[in-house]
Amino acid sequence: MARTQGSLLDRLPQILRHGPAFWRRSVQARVVVSTVLLSAAVVGVVGWFLMQQTRDGLLDQRVDAVVAEAESETQSARDALAATPGLDVNESRQQQDLVEPLIARGATRGFAVVLSPPVKDGSRLADGGAKFTQDLDLSSVPEKLEARFDQASPTAWTYTDIRTLRDIPGLPEGPGIVVGSQVRLPADDNLYTLYYLYSLDEQNETLALVSRAMLVAGVPLLLLVAGLTWLVTRQVVTPIRMARRVAERLAAGQLQERLRVRGEDDLARLATSFNQMASNLQKQIRQLEELSRLQRRFVSDVSHELRTPITTVRMASDVIHDARPFLDPVTGRAAELLQKELDRFETLLADLLEISRFDAGAAVLDADDVDLVDVAHRVVDMTSALAAQRGTRVVVHEPGHPCVAEADVRRVERIVRNLVTNAIDHAETRDIEVFIGADRQGAAIAVRDHGVGLGPGESAMVFNRFWRADPARARTSGGTGLGLSISLEDTHLHGGWLQAWGRPGEGAQFRLTLPRHLGTQLRHSPLPLVPDDARETA
């Protein structure tokens, strides 16, 4: 038993931690709890109403009974006094003869009796002179009721709290009713008030019994409602959960998954429609896959087939280019343009072949420890001539320590070179900054330019193949439009991030983040995506 309690206590933090998630995800649990709470509220309101009606009915019945009995006792006393000659009887003796029969009958019928002093004296029961049932506390008679009988008044009653000095048989302490009625004694011709005190103990016991009965009936009723709600919602939620699982498997690529159809109700028709949708999606996805496969094969075949003729054209172009001194100016210029365009065409073929390798899943990594600081300096040296041609310069901000990551140095250099040349194209003669950083999890390079920037939504489109923010803008670096797409594929091959930020007129920043060790999942980058100067002006 102790071991079971210990294991439950150990699991309690886990239960509390997963409880909110279960509440958010489970429609069935929310429906059951909501139904039980609403049912409990309805049962509580109905129970309270019934209790009030029962209480009022019991009290009204009890009041009518005790008032009638009190009036009957008072009338009997009046009849007895009317039969007694007033001058022949002593006042005190007549009071005693009046009260003692009432007290005796009260002991057997369950009520107490109090006879007040003469009304004309204006005295209270607490002042003394009253005759009453033994061991009764006279404070049981409320002063408000006494004040009502300071002069001649008809029968009146009120609720009270009965108090006794010792236990009185048939009259327990607690809530009760006191009824007042007046009589005139022939001995002194004065008015006296008779108070009859009745207990409400039986009514309280009846109310307690009704309350227990309603509670005993209400708890199983709520449990029954919870069970029925659980079963009803289960019939609805179970097909939805099955549809969710099938949808997840469809999203994972298992396009042959289908829902099981049972019956002809709304859920069955929903399952049929879902299956039809899945079949149509499967057909369209297969068509797109086939089209994509044919497209990749076409690109790969064309790229390979163009290798041979382009090599022949290159050889002829080299011969013509070397013979420029012997050609006329127009032909020599044509030879230069031919050489330049052949260079660009070969670069485009290389990029297309690289893209086809990524599409075919044939790209592999030749991983080694790579210092991103060295990579940045090599890329800056390679692009210095292009930067000088564009009237800008590339500035490297070193962190002062190596930033090493396990990566393919050729692919990382290609990524950084594409980012720097892209920044040179859009720098607008302003300086380009290269930031490098690393922490225990990853290493990063950020390339910042202060050129035209990117518009809203363009930071995601910039990695699309052949996409350009401004189609009318010339490519001064001779790019093919595939550089950033290849860079993104190279980054994904490392399990890293390649992200872009930009703002019109304020430039752009591209950030490459690589895990320190291949296979490690990135959770953050050591460099911010939004530049510090952009955050200050925001």
Side-chain angles (χ1 to χ4, degrees):
M1 182 66 178
R3 183 180 302 175
T4 303
Q5 292 179 350
S7 61
L8 183 60
L9 291 176
D10 294 338
R11 293 177 57 188
L12 186 59
Q14 183 179 3
I15 295 174
L16 294 177
R17 185 169 61 253
H18 294 293
F22 174 76
W23 174 258
R24 292 193 303 270
R25 296 175 182 175
S26 178
V27 176
Q28 190 173 7
R30 294 201 299 271
V31 171
V32 170
V33 173
S34 301
T35 304
V36 170
L37 291 178
L38 290 175
S39 300
V42 172
V43 170
V45 171
V46 172
W48 176 83
F49 178 76
L50 293 178
M51 286 295 298
Q52 292 296 318
Q53 294 295 316
T54 304
R55 174 179 175 274
D56 293 343
L58 290 173
L59 291 178
D60 291 343
Q61 183 180 8
R62 180 61 172 168
V63 167
D64 293 341
V66 298
V67 169
E69 184 176 0
E71 290 180 345
S72 175
E73 293 291 341
T74 303
Q75 187 61 41
S76 299
R78 289 172 182 164
D79 294 341
L81 290 175
T84 303
L87 300 176
D88 298 337
V89 182
N90 180 269
E91 173 186 347
S92 175
R93 179 64 181 173
Q94 197 170 47
Q95 293 179 7
Q96 196 74 19
D97 292 341
L98 172 64
V99 171
E100 285 183 353
L102 293 175
I103 293 176
R105 285 195 297 272
T108 59
R109 298 182 183 179
F111 63 86
V113 179
V114 176
L115 178 63
S116 71
V119 171
K120 67 177 182 179
D121 294 342
S123 59
R124 292 287 180 262
L125 297 178
D127 298 334
K131 299 184 183 300
F132 53 91
T133 301
Q134 187 177 2
D135 297 327
L136 177 67
D137 189 344
L138 293 180
S139 64
S140 301
V141 179
E143 293 186 0
K144 291 183 178 180
L145 186 61
E146 288 188 66
R148 184 183 179 89
F149 291 104
D150 284 345
Q151 56 187 356
S153 178
T155 302
W157 66 273
T158 187
Y159 294 110
T160 187
D161 189 14
I162 298 176
R163 305 179 184 89
T164 59
L165 303 178
R166 285 194 298 267
D167 292 340
I168 299 176
L171 189 69
E173 287 189 328
I177 299 174
V178 56
V179 182
S181 186
Q182 291 183 327
V183 296
R184 185 179 296 275
L185 259 66
D188 56 3
D189 198 31
N190 284 328
L191 284 174
Y192 291 80
T193 305
L194 282 170
Y195 297 100
Y196 304 89
L197 289 88
Y198 296 87
S199 175
L200 293 175
D201 187 61
E202 291 184 3
Q203 285 70 31
N204 287 334
E205 290 181 356
T206 302
L207 288 175
L209 179 62
V210 173
S211 300
R212 287 194 298 268
M214 294 184 64
L215 182 62
V216 170
V219 172
L221 178 62
L222 292 178
L223 294 177
L224 180 61
V225 169
L228 292 175
T229 307
W230 180 269
L231 291 177
V232 172
T233 54
R234 182 181 179 84
Q235 294 179 358
V236 178
V237 171
T238 299
I240 297 176
R241 289 176 177 171
M242 293 175 60
R244 175 182 59 82
R245 296 190 188 101
V246 172
E248 290 174 351
R249 288 194 285 268
L250 287 173
Q254 302 177 20
L255 301 180
Q256 74 283 356
E257 289 290 331
R258 296 292 183 272
L259 284 174
R260 185 178 301 174
V261 180
R262 296 177 179 176
E264 299 178 356
D265 55 8
D266 292 335
L267 293 175
R269 288 189 288 174
L270 175 62
T272 302
S273 301
F274 185 91
N275 291 339
Q276 291 176 353
M277 178 190 68
S279 298
N280 293 334
L281 288 176
Q282 182 183 14
K283 182 179 178 180
Q284 294 178 11
I285 289 173
R286 285 179 176 174
Q287 291 176 351
L288 291 174
E289 287 178 346
E290 181 64 18
L291 179 61
S292 177
R293 186 186 65 82
L294 293 175
Q295 182 181 9
R296 291 196 302 267
R297 183 175 178 180
F298 173 78
V299 172
S300 179
D301 292 346
V302 169
S303 301
H304 282 88
E305 292 298 328
L306 287 177
R307 278 294 199 182
T308 300
I310 200 64
T311 302
T312 305
V313 175
R314 165 64 69 182
M315 293 173 61
S317 175
D318 289 341
V319 172
I320 298 173
H321 189 269
D322 293 340
R324 283 180 304 160
F326 308 101
L327 301 175
D328 60 89
V330 176
T331 306
R333 178 59 179 164
E336 290 179 357
L337 292 176
L338 177 61
Q339 190 77 3
K340 183 178 180 181
E341 291 304 317
L342 279 174
D343 291 339
R344 182 176 179 183
F345 191 62
E346 286 184 336
T347 303
L348 176 59
L349 282 178
D351 289 346
L352 287 174
L353 285 171
E354 190 68 21
I355 285 290
S356 66
R357 292 190 191 97
F358 284 120
D359 291 339
V364 293
L365 288 177
D366 184 13
D368 198 359
D369 289 339
V370 178
D371 187 357
L372 297 188
V373 177
D374 295 339
V375 171
H377 282 292
R378 286 199 299 269
V379 171
V380 170
D381 292 340
M382 285 187 292
T383 57
S384 59
L386 179 62
Q389 182 183 351
R390 291 286 293 164
T392 184
R393 63 176 185 147
V394 183
V395 180
V396 178
H397 299 277
E398 297 189 23
H401 56 80
C403 299
V404 180
E406 187 180 358
D408 188 331
V409 63
R410 179 181 67 86
R411 296 182 183 277
V412 173
E413 281 190 10
R414 181 165 60 188
I415 296 171
V416 179
R417 184 170 63 251
N418 286 332
L419 297 182
V420 172
T421 55
N422 182 72
I424 292 173
D425 275 345
H426 299 85
E428 301 289 338
T429 70
R430 299 184 182 93
D431 287 349
I432 297 169
E433 299 175 283
V434 178
F435 300 92
I436 309 166
D439 56 18
R440 292 183 178 181
Q441 187 183 29
I445 289 182
V447 179
R448 170 80 161 109
D449 69 75
H450 301 272
V452 295
L454 295 172
E458 294 181 349
S459 58
M461 299 173 60
V462 73
F463 297 105
N464 294 343
R465 299 176 184 181
F466 300 107
W467 184 86
R468 298 178 68 181
D470 184 5
R473 188 181 183 87
R475 296 185 190 270
T476 58
S477 61
T480 62
L482 295 173
L484 291 178
S485 300
I486 294 175
S487 298
L488 184 63
E489 296 291 348
D490 283 332
T491 305
H492 289 168
L493 202 59
H494 287 85
W497 300 337
L498 183 58
Q499 300 160 296
W501 169 91
R503 190 177 294 165
E506 298 184 22
Q509 177 163 297
F510 288 78
R511 182 184 67 182
L512 168 67
T513 308
L514 299 175
R516 294 292 296 270
H517 303 283
L518 290 176
T520 304
Q521 185 177 3
L522 287 174
R523 298 187 180 275
H524 65 276
S525 178
L527 295 177
L529 178 61
V530 181
D532 294 335
D533 55 349
R535 286 203 296 265
E536 291 173 357
T537 58

